[in-house]
Amino acid sequence: LYYFNPNLLHSHYSIIEYNNTISESSTTMSKITPKIHPGSGQPLPPSQLTSLLSAHPIPPSLPQGKYSYGTAGFRLPAPLLPACFVRMGIFSALRSASLGGEHVGVMITASHNPEGDNGMKLADSNGGMLDAQWEEHAVSLANAGDAKQTLVYVDTLVQYIKGQHPREDGTLPRMVVHVGRDTRSHSLPLATLVVRAAQAMGATVIDHGEVSTPMLHHFVMHANGHLLPSIIPQRCNESGYYEIMALSYASLLRTGGLDAGTAADGRQYSRRDTMKTLLIDGACGIGALKIDKFRRLFGRLGAEGCTPGLPNLHTVNFPGDGPLNENCGAEFVQKQQLPPKVYSSTATKVSKQY
């Protein structure tokens, strides 16, 4: 029995109009469609932007008196974040425009932090981390002061972008922002602020709903097909993510070949027979829901007979089984050097098998 935590991949429903189900008996994966909010292409009048910003002022109780963006992005107790998220909705639209209309992403998550925290990670058009220079712009805009001061900084960025991408009508290039979120109760209202603010700048917003962080980065990277290496198929949707990852994992297993050997107890084995069950701790978050879709896909690939050696996936700790990341999850395991607590009521025997 092997143990794996999907949050090692930085992973962690709702009113969003999704077809997010995959039939247990189906041999194909259902189409999963994000909600698209079309943009006007141009910012709202300054008075309306001022109203939006003024409705969400920077709280006076910020740690060290400001928002900070590091490798983990912005991350704080959720009540302190609305002002930052409105400003980053505006920022993400401007970042897309600065790249000549390439798609960018916003992921709302605090990863391994406790349930009460939330945060944001910004994905650049290549699916990677935000450019270092634009990270500085993000921090400056997040801490720009009141609505008037914020709009001055926004206008500075707008004029810079227009200089870099001049158009005959003097408008900004198109703007497209992808948004994803984890399962925290406050992630949806925070995501709504990002969507509203990005649209206020004229951006089209593609709302993917509840997804893991790697999935959001995948969507952004594949939406910018001209940046993909030609060997990688362009799969912009969620089902494409599952299939690419599953088939890549199967290819990795094949690199082991059919090597055989003798275990310490004298038992003969084939390398393809060494993994039977992969126990997955979902940390009571989004990872459990997404990994469970891999379970179904692995079952399909195994049934087709072309992919031997795929493990049986056994997921525990789904959302609602227990508190998010409490005594479970990758960070707990790594720091405490202990197996995670299993909250799932249907897995009482599993905890004895670590």
Side-chain angles (χ1 to χ4, degrees), residues 238-254:
E238 189 167 333
S239 61
Y241 170 83
Y242 294 131
E243 291 177 4
I244 286 176
M245 294 300 291
L247 293 173
S248 297
Y249 180 59
S251 297
L252 177 64
L253 292 181
R254 285 198 298 274

Side-chain angles (χ1 to χ4, degrees), residues 249 253 275-278 294-295 298-299 308-314:
Y249 180 59
L253 292 181
M275 184 175 289
K276 295 295 187 183
T277 299
L278 187 63
F294 279 110
R295 174 182 64 83
F298 278 20
L310 287 173
N312 297 316
L313 302 182
H314 187 160

Side-chain angles (χ1 to χ4, degrees), residues 110-138:
S111 297
H112 312 300
N113 280 37
E115 177 87 35
D117 290 351
N118 217 316
M120 172 189 292
K121 298 176 182 179
L122 299 165
D124 241 342
S125 59
N126 61 0
M129 295 176 65
L130 181 64
D131 174 81
Q133 180 180 354
W134 277 82
E135 183 178 313
E136 294 178 7
H137 289 315

Side-chain angles (χ1 to χ4, degrees), residues 40 42-56 86-87 90 147-148 150-151 154 193 196-202:
S40 66
Q42 294 303 314
L44 293 176
S47 61
Q48 294 185 42
L49 291 174
T50 297
S51 296
L52 177 60
L53 289 162
S54 297
H56 303 283
V86 169
R87 291 151 187 258
I90 293 172
K148 182 178 180 180
T150 302
L151 287 183
V154 168
L193 290 177
R196 184 181 173 193
Q199 280 197 289
M201 288 303 296

